[in-house]
């Protein structure tokens, strides 16, 4: 089920220009908005932090000024160090609790007890690990300047909940009059407000970005729809024209480029319709002429044949010249009758009045019958014909008479065009699989020039009209063979090289009406010293000719 949805989505993506344009625009817009939004957030964060640091440093300076004044006023009376430390830290802690910052008192300098093991005084609930070690090392001697850095403030409230928030820590040194030692005061200011402000800005930017992307997607969809809709209409009309509905036209509205395109398309369709009708009428006239002439010639041909038979039987009583004329008349009447039969068969194909008489047979038996019938002509030409026996029967549901006619035409042509007394024979190969059966007829004769494999199945076409043909021929044999192959739903294809011979391949579906997607035999034979450059037909090929 999921794979079916994925395939449908991929098909929709491949076929829809509008979907690809909208998606591409949305993706590019999202990338641009993300980059701009990230830059704005960075600048906003830096601005908030810089402002907060300035405020923090001002507050610390004010606190330190007040602290030094308070110590100076008490220097004459206070002699207890611990009491003076508490008097120093407690007011600052109370101020920090009301103003939202924390205080740590470390020292005196020279005391090796670090804050992490209990040295110093600090605000309640504060984890002294919030003071960075690098900042502690900065104040490892007296007369150090005020310094600040970023840190993470860890605090535990009265309920036992521990929180960790980003913050700014500022350190400054102060000297107690009671013992004359230098101590370090650390002020820790949370950046909670700045973090909330940055979160608010981030949510606002995300909301604005989402709305903007949706707006851009909608606008892009509307704009592309105005362009794609006429294109889709043109595609539908073109499909109807291809299906034979030649009266279909596009609706023209406006005077823009699309309207002018529709007008040009309609003019093209009108011209095509007129030319197709002219060609159909001409083709119909030609088919009718061939059919009528073929049928009309049957009666006089029968009469002439009867007279020719009488003369041919009595040729022994004639003088040599008259006897030879009677023999030539019989030969030419045989050729004329063959031509007439072929013309009648072509006219039946053109009229669509041909049906198949299907049988499940072994094509090897048909090949042997064809070779046996052609053997006298092959012996006369000095050409050897062999059938390469397959390992298993090559069975298919076919019209035996028509398949035998196809093979007879192929074998006769191979004998006609093979080199006499050649070492390599005309070979017939057969093979089959679950879906198809194939027969190839290979000769080693004159072959086919470039481009002739696309013309060899044309009616009345010959590769060399001046060449003597021992087996006769009308130029319709391969055209009829192609029609017989297509009638079975099969392929009839040709391959050839000048001077290296030719090979014809007949491929038929194993079962009548079954799909034909491949052939069990290759179209191009394996030739030594000749590069193979003949592609196999596509899986969906239905053409009878491969060049």
């Amino acid at each position: 089920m999921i794979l079916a949805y994925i395939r449908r989505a991929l098909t929709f993506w491949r076929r829809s220009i509008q979907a690809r344009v909208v998606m591409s625009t949305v993706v590019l817009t999202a990338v641009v908005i993300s980059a701009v939004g990230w830059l704005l957030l960075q600048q906003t964060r830096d601005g908030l932090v810089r402002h907060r640091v300035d405020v923090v440093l001002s507050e610390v300076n004010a606190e330190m000024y007040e602290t030094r004044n308070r110590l100076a006023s008490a220097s004459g009376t206070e002699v207890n160090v611990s009491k003076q430390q508490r008097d120093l830290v407690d007011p600052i802690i109370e101020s920090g609790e009301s103003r939202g910052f924390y205080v740590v008192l470390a020292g005196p300098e020279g005391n090796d007890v670090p804050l992490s093991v209990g040295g110093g005084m600090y605000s309640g609930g504060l984890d002294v690990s919030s003071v960075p070690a690098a900042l502690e090392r900065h104040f490892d001697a007296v007369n150090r300047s005020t310094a600040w850095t970023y840190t993470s403030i860890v605090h535990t409230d009265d309920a036992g909940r521990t929180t960790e928030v980003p913050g700014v820590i500022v350190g400054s040194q102060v000297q107690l009059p009671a013992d004359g030692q230098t101590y370090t005061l650390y002020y820790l200011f949370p950046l909670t407000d700045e973090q909330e402000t940055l979160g608010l800005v981030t949510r606002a930017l995300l909301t604005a970005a989402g709305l903007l992307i949706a707006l851009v997607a909608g606008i892009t969809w509307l704009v592309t729809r105005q362009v794609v809709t006429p294109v889709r209409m043109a595609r539908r009309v073109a499909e109807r024209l291809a299906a034979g509905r030649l009266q279909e036209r596009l609706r023209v509205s406006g005077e823009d480029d699309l309207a002018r395109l529709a007008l040009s398309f309609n003019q093209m369709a009108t011209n095509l319709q007129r030319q197709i009708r002219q060609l159909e009428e001409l083709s119909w006239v030609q088919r009718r002429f061939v059919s009528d002439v073929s049928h009309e010639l049957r009666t006089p041909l029968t009469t002439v044949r009867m007279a020719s038979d009488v003369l041919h039987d009595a040729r022994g009583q004639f003088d040599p010249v008259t006897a030879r004329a009677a023999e030539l008349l019989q030969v030419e009447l045989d050729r004329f009758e063959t031509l007439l039969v072929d013309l009648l068969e072509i006219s039946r194909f053109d009229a669509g009045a041909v049906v198949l008489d299907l049988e499940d047979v072994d094509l090897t038996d048909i090949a042997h019958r064809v070779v046996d019938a052609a053997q006298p002509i092959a012996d006369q030409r000095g050409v050897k014909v062999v059938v390469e026996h397959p390992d298993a029967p090559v069975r298919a549901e076919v019209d035996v008479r028509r398949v035998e006619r196809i093979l007879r035409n192929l074998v006769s042509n191979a004998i006609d065009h093979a080199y006499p007394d050649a070492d390599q024979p005309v070979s017939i190969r057969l093979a089959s699989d679950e879906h198809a059966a194939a027969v190839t007829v290979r000769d080693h004769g004159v072959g086919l020039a470039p481009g002739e494999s696309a013309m060899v199945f044309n009616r009345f076409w010959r590769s060399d009209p001046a060449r003597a043909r021992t087996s006769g021929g009308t130029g319709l044999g391969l055209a009829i063979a192609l029609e017989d192959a297509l009638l079975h739903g099969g392929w009839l294809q040709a391959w050839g090289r000048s001077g290296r011979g030719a090979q014809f391949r007949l491929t038929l579906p194993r079962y009548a009406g079954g799909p034909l997607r491949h052939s069990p035999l290759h179209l191009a034979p394996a030739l030594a010293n000749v590069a193979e450059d003949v592609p196999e037909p596509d899986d969906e090929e239905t053409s009878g000719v491969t060049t």
Side-chain angles (χ1 to χ4, degrees):
M1 182 65 71
I2 296 178
L3 292 177
Y5 285 126
I6 293 176
R7 284 195 295 268
R8 291 177 185 174
L10 292 176
T11 301
F12 176 75
W13 174 259
R14 290 194 304 268
R15 294 181 177 179
S16 177
I17 297 177
Q18 187 176 11
R20 293 200 297 273
V21 171
V22 171
M23 184 58 66
S24 300
T25 304
V26 169
V27 171
L28 291 175
T29 302
V31 170
V32 172
I33 291 177
S34 298
V36 174
W38 180 84
L39 183 61
L40 290 176
L41 285 176
Q42 292 295 320
Q43 292 180 345
T44 302
R45 186 192 65 181
D46 293 343
L48 289 173
V49 171
R50 282 196 300 269
H51 175 72
R52 181 58 174 165
V53 168
D54 293 341
V55 172
V56 164
L57 290 176
S58 298
E59 291 186 14
V60 169
N61 289 333
E63 287 289 338
M64 292 304 298
Y65 179 77
E66 182 179 351
T67 298
R68 290 189 179 96
N69 289 336
R70 190 166 62 251
L71 289 175
S73 64
S75 60
T77 59
E78 295 290 343
V79 295
N80 189 301
V81 175
S82 61
K83 184 176 185 305
Q84 198 170 60
Q85 289 177 350
R86 286 194 301 273
D87 291 343
L88 171 64
V89 175
D90 290 345
I92 300 176
I93 291 177
E94 292 177 0
S95 176
E97 290 177 352
S98 61
R99 294 162 57 185
F101 65 86
Y102 305 95
V103 180
V104 176
L105 177 64
E109 299 306 331
N111 183 7
D112 295 332
V113 180
L115 287 172
S116 58
V117 295
M121 303 174 61
Y122 48 86
S123 300
L126 179 67
D127 190 339
V128 293
S129 63
S130 303
V131 180
L135 192 60
E136 283 192 72
R137 288 193 297 271
H138 175 76
F139 294 105
D140 59 356
V142 298
N143 297 324
R144 294 292 189 179
S145 61
T146 301
W148 68 274
T149 187
Y150 299 108
T151 187
S152 294
I153 301 175
V154 180
H155 180 266
T156 304
D157 59 15
D158 297 337
R161 293 188 298 268
T162 301
T163 58
E164 183 176 355
V165 296
V168 176
I169 181 171
V170 181
S172 183
Q173 289 184 331
V174 63
Q175 188 176 32
L176 288 183
D179 58 359
Q181 296 290 325
T182 299
Y183 295 80
T184 303
L185 277 171
Y186 295 101
Y187 296 83
L188 294 89
F189 292 84
L191 295 177
T192 306
D193 293 341
E194 287 72 17
Q195 191 175 28
E196 292 178 355
T197 302
L198 189 62
L200 179 62
V201 173
T202 302
R203 289 191 296 272
L205 285 177
L206 289 176
T207 302
L211 294 176
L212 183 58
I213 291 175
L215 181 62
V216 169
I219 294 175
T220 305
W221 183 82
L222 290 175
V223 172
T224 54
R225 181 180 175 83
Q226 295 179 4
V227 178
V228 171
T229 298
V231 175
R232 289 176 177 170
M233 293 176 60
R235 175 183 60 81
R236 296 190 187 101
V237 173
E239 289 174 350
R240 297 190 188 105
L241 289 173
R245 299 168 59 179
L246 302 179
Q247 73 282 359
E248 291 289 335
R249 297 293 183 272
L250 284 173
R251 185 175 69 251
V252 180
S253 59
E255 299 180 357
D256 57 10
D257 292 336
L258 291 175
R260 293 164 61 187
L261 175 62
L263 183 61
S264 300
F265 183 91
N266 291 340
Q267 292 175 349
M268 178 190 68
T270 300
N271 293 334
L272 287 175
Q273 182 182 14
R274 182 172 61 253
Q275 294 177 8
I276 289 174
R277 285 179 176 175
Q278 291 175 353
L279 291 174
E280 287 178 345
E281 292 174 359
L282 178 61
S283 178
W284 181 84
V285 171
Q286 290 176 339
R287 291 196 302 268
R288 184 63 182 270
F289 173 78
V290 171
S291 178
D292 291 346
V293 169
S294 302
H295 284 85
E296 291 299 328
L297 288 177
R298 295 290 293 180
T299 301
L301 178 62
T302 302
T303 303
V304 174
R305 165 64 71 181
M306 294 173 60
S308 175
D309 290 342
V310 173
L311 293 175
H312 187 267
D313 293 338
R315 68 184 183 279
Q317 305 174 10
F318 301 151
D319 59 86
V321 175
T322 305
R324 179 58 180 164
E327 292 176 355
L328 291 176
L329 177 62
Q330 188 76 2
V331 171
E332 293 304 321
L333 278 175
D334 289 340
R335 181 170 298 191
F336 182 70
E337 191 171 14
T338 301
L339 173 61
L340 190 60
V341 170
D342 288 345
L343 287 174
L344 287 172
E345 186 68 15
I346 286 291
S347 66
R348 281 194 290 268
F349 279 118
D350 291 338
V354 180
V355 294
L356 295 176
D357 184 12
L358 298 173
E359 297 180 45
D360 189 357
V361 297
D362 186 355
L363 299 184
T364 307
D365 297 337
I366 300 177
H368 278 292
R369 287 201 302 269
V370 171
V371 171
D372 292 341
Q375 195 63 51
I377 299 176
D379 294 339
Q380 182 182 352
R381 287 277 296 164
V383 176
K384 185 179 180 180
V385 183
V386 298
V387 178
E388 299 182 11
H389 290 275
D391 296 333
V394 181
R395 306 194 67 85
E397 291 183 356
V398 298
D399 187 323
V400 176
R401 180 178 67 86
R402 297 185 183 279
V403 172
E404 187 171 342
R405 180 166 60 188
I406 295 173
L407 296 182
R408 184 167 59 248
N409 275 302
L410 298 181
V411 172
S412 298
N413 283 338
I415 294 173
D416 282 339
H417 293 87
Y419 291 132
D421 302 321
D423 295 335
Q424 295 174 307
V426 172
S427 58
I428 302 173
R429 296 180 60 204
L430 301 96
S432 64
D433 56 24
E434 295 180 356
H435 305 287
V439 183
T440 60
V441 179
R442 171 81 164 101
D443 67 74
H444 300 272
V446 296
L448 295 172
E452 288 185 349
S453 58
M455 303 168 58
V456 70
F457 296 100
N458 293 346
R459 298 177 183 183
F460 301 106
W461 184 88
R462 292 181 182 178
S463 59
D464 185 4
R467 186 173 177 271
R469 298 172 62 86
T470 58
S471 62
T474 63
L476 292 173
L478 289 179
I480 294 175
L482 176 60
E483 295 291 344
D484 283 331
L486 296 178
L487 193 63
H488 284 83
W491 304 332
L492 183 57
Q493 300 158 300
W495 172 93
R497 292 285 179 83
S498 296
R500 292 185 176 270
Q503 178 163 290
F504 288 79
R505 181 179 69 179
L506 171 66
T507 308
L508 301 172
R510 174 67 181 82
Y511 301 100
L516 189 60
R517 304 185 185 279
H518 69 281
S519 179
L521 295 175
H522 291 291
L523 175 60
L527 296 179
N529 302 323
V530 176
E532 293 296 336
D533 58 359
V534 180
E536 286 297 300
D538 297 334
D539 288 344
E540 300 298 332
E541 178 180 352
T542 58
S543 173
V545 182
T546 294
T547 58

